[in-house]
Amino acid sequence: MSKLLVGLIGQPNVGKSTLFNVLTKGNVIVSNWPGTTVERVESTIKYKEYEIKIVDLPGIYGLSYFTLEEKISRNFVVEENPDLLVVLVDSLALERTFYLAVEVLELTSKALIAITKVDIAHSKGIHINYDLIEKRLGVPVVPVSAIKGSGVEELLDEIIEKTRVQGRLLRIDYGELEPFITGIEDALRVDRELVSKYPARWLALKFLEGDEEVEKLVKEKLSDKYRELFEIREEARRRIGRDLAAYISMRKMHFIRDNLLKNAVVYARLERVRSPRIFYNPYIAPLLSTSIIFTLFILVFIVNTGYPLTTILEHFGYTELAVLLEEYSLSSLIEKLFDALNNYIIGVLGETPFSSFITGGIIAGVVSVVVFIPLIAIVMIVLGALEDSGLLPRLAIGAHILLSKFGLSGHAILPLTLSLGCNVPGVMSTRAIPNHLERLRLIILTPFIPCQARLVVLLVLSASLGGVIGALLVPIVYLTSFLVVLLLNYVLYLFEKRKRYEEVELLLEIPPLHRPYFKVVWWFTWHHLKHFLIKAGTVIFLVSIISWGLQHTTPTLSYTENPEESIAAYISRSLGVVLKPLGVSGENTWIVGYALLLGFLAKELILGAIVASTGVNNPLDAYRTLGLSIPTSVSLALFIALYVPCLATIATIYSETKNWKTTISTIVLMMTTAYLLALLAYNITMLIPL
């Protein structure tokens, strides 16, 4: 087990002691700092494969050497050489409390920022773009609420991750003082022992400030150069025309205000509006909450794919309008754009293996990622607006009344709704759930919620069936998926309750209702969209290229244009024994098997596999050529909706739990549940006269 030494440092009243107690659960050792009567409080905790000793440093305002507490903290950084410093910043007083953080980052690169009291800040209308601050500082920035326990696991994960990565020192522009800083730096670098212990630039700044400890060090180590350094400092004083310590402090505050926090914080003016009692009514609130969320996501789906409005229009005889809506939906327009690009490339390069690789491998991979960007962006905009306006916590209260019957709290509303767009951000959003057992259950179960990728496949299957069954297929599959999540969660919850006596609780800060701010909603949207592009997009793109290779390479490693001769077909034929009970048989069995195999990697690859294997460009026509019966299509729809959503989601489950046992158990649970329900659906549908 690896050992880490971590120091908690921050200004007084930033919430340092509270966070320390939450991290250590009160199991502390109290002693005195050597040579002082000041208490040293520390604790050793075990987290994952690490033994972390956390030292709670005295509350200080800066790293000068004026007070005993400042001396203790500075000596800890320099003499004990911790693996990491966690610098706490108060979200309610960002400018003032970031001052110490800036000083620490100039002294050591082994540090990260924890912004505290974020729950209170949000309720007061303070919105912070943590990603932007992190980018500007070059170190991790973790929002935490020690009281509610949110962000604590993320902080521990970042502590471990940061100790593995070599950071860089923060460099602030001190304007007219820069030439003098450089001159002192050059002189100090003569003593290699001194600059190996302290950064040369930090020493130069402290010498200019007149820091007594640095002054003493310079006199001892560089006695022959002290006069030269003294003259540089005096010249700097004459040039600046004021106290250098005050000037340096002013430049730090200028950096914090005008560089670090500029456009990264929104202070909303909130008017105290009494919440309508309807949000707390035990009978109306659950129905109201679910109705609002359901309506919003239906609108999102209509904008992106046209469904379910297209089905409704067709039912009432407005077929041309339905076709028009589907043809000019966002996802359809993106596909048209890339189809035109494919045709252009083939027109230039001709029908060659290289052009096939470009269009079927690279561009198909890009399309698989890009087609989801509008959906995820719209979903995040909706959720961001609900969150910022203060409406989402109120909807969570209504949802809590309903979800608590199944062992979930209202906190689950965000992961469950996010998963309708994409399971990756859905799983990641469980970080905000304070109860670790509920969080673990949701990590395992939210992948059962059909994401947008599965919706696209389901729409093709429902369109191929047509009629009443086709119209009912998607709603029934979605209803089944949600019931699976609720029932499985309830079983797990009962087991936990019997073992641990856990009760379902909802801890929420209810902010005032107000209009959402565009900038805050954009931060929320970009944060989640970025995670999708990085975590899911990369995997999907690479898998698409590998998929093309499997479809165009024979077992003897030669190139082929015939998918039936490919490695993909060879592997997929072995799935025939599993697919036969679902009614899949005959020469096209390998196509269904191959599509499902690729669906394990990314669901949007299912239709691409069928199109590529049949040689029919339209996904609907390609699926119809397989000649599958209605019961088989129904069972496949349920299986596709419930089995492992994609490799990116599995990777996210592991990254959130850091536990292979949990990850593999999730895969087994999903595959088993999906197959058994698909088998049940096939046999039930066989009994219905169609």
Side-chain angles (χ1 to χ4, degrees):
M1 183 171 283
S2 302
K3 295 184 178 182
L4 298 176
L5 175 61
V6 175
L8 283 187
I9 187 169
Q11 292 187 3
N13 303 315
V14 295
K16 182 166 57 64
S17 297
T18 306
L19 180 60
F20 178 78
N21 289 328
V22 170
L23 289 170
T24 63
K25 296 178 173 61
N27 184 24
V28 302
I29 298 173
V30 180
S31 59
N32 287 342
W33 290 91
T36 74
T37 58
V38 179
E39 284 187 344
R40 175 181 173 124
V41 184
E42 62 183 62
S43 178
T44 300
I45 65 171
K46 292 181 179 179
Y47 184 72
K48 296 181 178 176
E49 298 85 25
Y50 290 84
E51 190 176 275
I52 307 173
K53 179 190 281 189
I54 303 175
V55 180
D56 186 10
L57 296 168
I60 57 175
Y61 290 99
L63 284 178
S64 299
Y65 222 62
F66 299 130
T67 68
L68 179 58
E69 287 78 11
E70 288 174 338
K71 291 177 182 178
I72 288 170
S73 297
R74 201 160 97 179
N75 287 340
F76 174 80
V77 177
V78 176
E79 303 296 337
E80 297 195 37
N81 193 27
D83 295 288
L84 194 72
L85 282 176
V86 177
V87 192
L88 274 64
V89 173
D90 189 344
S91 60
L92 304 176
L94 287 170
E95 284 191 21
R96 174 174 59 80
T97 55
F98 247 119
Y99 188 88
L100 176 62
V102 165
E103 285 217 306
V104 169
L105 293 173
E106 287 184 307
L107 174 60
T108 177
S109 61
K110 297 186 291 185
L112 63 78
I113 307 298
I115 298 183
T116 62
K117 308 176 187 177
V118 294
D119 55 325
I120 302 174
H122 186 267
S123 69
K124 292 181 178 294
I126 302 172
H127 304 284
I128 304 166
N129 188 337
Y130 305 104
D131 289 340
L132 183 57
I133 294 174
E134 181 174 300
K135 181 180 178 181
R136 289 172 176 175
L137 279 180
V139 298
V141 174
V142 185
V144 295
S145 171
I147 294 294
K148 294 187 176 179
S150 62
V152 174
E153 284 192 24
E154 290 73 15
L155 178 61
L156 289 169
D157 288 335
E158 285 291 356
I159 286 172
I160 293 170
E161 186 63 31
K162 177 62 178 172
T163 57
R164 300 172 180 163
V165 180
Q166 182 65 40
R168 57 182 175 82
L169 292 170
L170 178 65
R171 188 181 181 93
I172 295 174
D173 182 5
Y174 288 97
E176 294 179 81
L177 207 56
E178 283 296 330
F180 302 102
I181 297 172
T182 303
I184 296 174
E185 276 188 87
D186 293 340
L188 291 174
R189 285 197 175 93
V190 174
D191 192 314
R192 293 186 178 181
E193 182 183 351
L194 183 62
V195 295
S196 66
K197 195 172 184 179
Y198 301 90
R201 183 176 175 84
W202 182 85
L203 281 172
L205 285 166
K206 287 300 175 185
F207 182 78
L208 287 167
E209 288 179 355
D211 184 278
E212 62 178 48
E213 177 66 12
V214 172
E215 187 93 16
K216 180 181 174 183
L217 281 171
V218 171
K219 284 182 178 179
E220 288 178 1
K221 301 286 187 178
L222 297 163
S223 56
D224 57 327
K225 288 186 173 289
Y226 179 76
R227 188 66 192 174
E228 175 189 340
L229 295 172
F230 179 82
E231 290 296 334
I232 293 175
R233 183 167 62 190
E234 289 303 305
E235 177 60 27
R237 281 176 180 163
R238 287 191 292 270
R239 183 72 61 86
I240 299 299
R242 68 172 78 177
D243 180 72
L244 294 182
Y247 177 81
I248 290 170
S249 178
M250 180 198 71
R251 295 293 299 190
K252 280 186 171 71
M253 291 304 298
H254 171 78
F255 168 78
I256 293 168
R257 183 177 58 253
D258 298 336
N259 295 84
L260 183 60
L261 299 180
K262 187 176 182 180
N263 298 322
V265 185
V266 169
Y267 295 93
R269 295 183 62 183
L270 303 182
E271 296 181 7
R272 290 284 167 182
V273 179
R274 191 172 181 179
S275 296
R277 291 185 178 182
I278 195 171
F279 287 111
Y280 309 103
N281 186 291
Y283 304 104
I284 300 176
L287 181 62
L288 178 65
S289 296
T290 52
S291 298
I292 290 174
I293 293 169
F294 179 76
T295 302
L296 287 172
F297 275 89
I298 287 295
L299 291 174
V300 168
F301 289 149
I302 289 173
V303 171
N304 198 61
T305 65
Y307 179 85
L309 184 56
T310 49
T311 303
I312 296 171
L313 290 172
E314 285 182 0
H315 178 74
F316 287 101
Y318 298 101
T319 306
E320 291 183 4
L321 186 58
V323 171
L324 193 66
L325 179 61
E326 185 175 350
E327 187 177 353
Y328 290 97
S329 65
L330 277 175
S331 59
S332 179
L333 289 173
I334 292 172
E335 288 176 2
K336 288 178 183 295
L337 175 64
F338 281 98
D339 283 344
L341 180 60
N342 283 341
N343 293 332
Y344 174 76
I345 290 173
I346 292 173
V348 173
L349 300 178
E351 296 279 355
T352 64
F354 179 67
S355 66
S356 176
F357 171 71
I358 295 296
T359 57
I362 295 177
I363 293 180
V366 173
V367 173
S368 299
V369 176
V370 173
V371 75
F372 290 103
I373 291 177
L375 171 82
I376 295 176
I378 295 171
V379 168
M380 294 308 162
I381 288 170
V382 170
L383 287 175
L386 290 174
E387 169 73 20
D388 183 44
S389 66
L391 187 58
L392 189 61
R394 289 165 173 83
L395 295 179
I397 292 171
H400 178 76
I401 297 170
L402 177 64
L403 293 174
S404 61
K405 308 294 183 185
F406 297 90
L408 287 170
S409 71
H411 292 290
I413 193 172
L414 184 58
L416 294 178
T417 50
L418 279 176
S419 293
L420 287 167
C422 178
N423 294 129
V424 172
V427 172
M428 293 175 66
S429 69
T430 60
R431 296 175 181 179
I433 297 175
N435 186 309
H436 71 281
L437 291 175
E438 182 181 6
R439 184 192 179 210
L440 182 60
R441 279 184 271 124
L442 283 169
I443 287 174
I444 294 170
L445 297 176
T446 49
F448 278 109
I449 302 296
C451 58
Q452 173 70 5
R454 283 176 277 188
L455 174 61
V456 173
V457 181
L458 292 175
L459 290 176
V460 170
L461 268 62
S462 66
S464 71
L465 294 175
V468 176
I469 293 180
L472 294 177
L473 181 64
V474 175
I476 289 174
V477 168
Y478 268 79
L479 179 62
T480 303
S481 300
F482 273 95
L483 286 175
V484 166
V485 171
L486 294 175
L487 292 175
L488 287 178
N489 177 80
Y490 188 63
V491 171
L492 294 174
Y493 166 69
L494 288 179
F495 178 77
E496 290 168 3
K497 187 178 179 182
R498 186 164 58 249
K499 293 289 185 180
R500 302 173 182 264
Y501 304 100
E502 292 277 353
E503 296 296 330
V504 179
E505 294 182 347
L506 179 65
L507 297 173
L508 282 174
E509 184 76 30
I510 305 298
L513 287 169
H514 65 92
R515 66 174 181 83
Y517 284 77
F518 173 79
K519 185 181 290 186
V520 176
V521 173
W522 166 244
W523 292 345
F524 182 91
T525 303
W526 173 241
H527 174 77
H528 288 91
L529 189 59
K530 180 178 66 175
H531 279 295
F532 168 77
L533 291 173
I534 294 172
K535 285 186 173 289
T538 305
V539 174
I540 293 170
F541 177 73
L542 292 175
V543 165
S544 179
I545 294 175
I546 295 170
S547 168
W548 180 89
L550 291 173
Q551 293 179 74
H552 291 83
T553 306
T554 67
T556 59
L557 302 182
S558 60
Y559 178 79
T560 180
E561 284 289 346
N562 185 357
E564 291 190 47
E565 301 173 351
S566 68
I567 294 175
Y570 180 80
I571 296 172
S572 303
R573 287 189 180 97
S574 62
L575 294 177
V577 65
V578 180
L579 294 173
K580 191 171 183 180
L582 302 181
V584 181
S585 59
E587 60 181 12
N588 290 328
T589 300
W590 76 270
I591 298 177
V592 177
Y594 178 56
L596 294 177
L597 277 179
L598 284 188
F600 184 94
L601 304 174
K603 285 294 179 289
E604 57 273 19
L605 299 178
I606 289 178
L607 297 178
I610 295 173
V611 167
S613 302
T614 59
V616 180
N617 290 330
N618 184 281
L620 178 58
D621 294 336
Y623 180 78
R624 284 172 173 163
T625 60
L626 299 178
L628 301 176
S629 66
I630 291 176
T632 298
S633 292
V634 171
S635 65
L636 284 177
L638 201 56
F639 184 78
I640 289 167
L642 294 175
Y643 86 107
V644 180
C646 63
L647 188 61
T649 300
I650 296 303
T652 306
I653 290 172
Y654 175 73
S655 70
E656 293 298 312
T657 61
K658 293 295 188 293
N659 189 312
W660 279 115
K661 183 178 178 181
T662 300
T663 307
I664 293 170
S665 298
T666 301
I667 296 172
V668 172
L669 176 64
M670 295 197 74
M671 295 296 291
T672 304
T673 304
Y675 189 75
L676 291 177
L677 287 177
L679 193 61
L680 180 64
Y682 176 76
N683 285 283
I684 290 175
T685 313
M686 286 289 290
L687 298 175
I688 300 174
L690 301 172

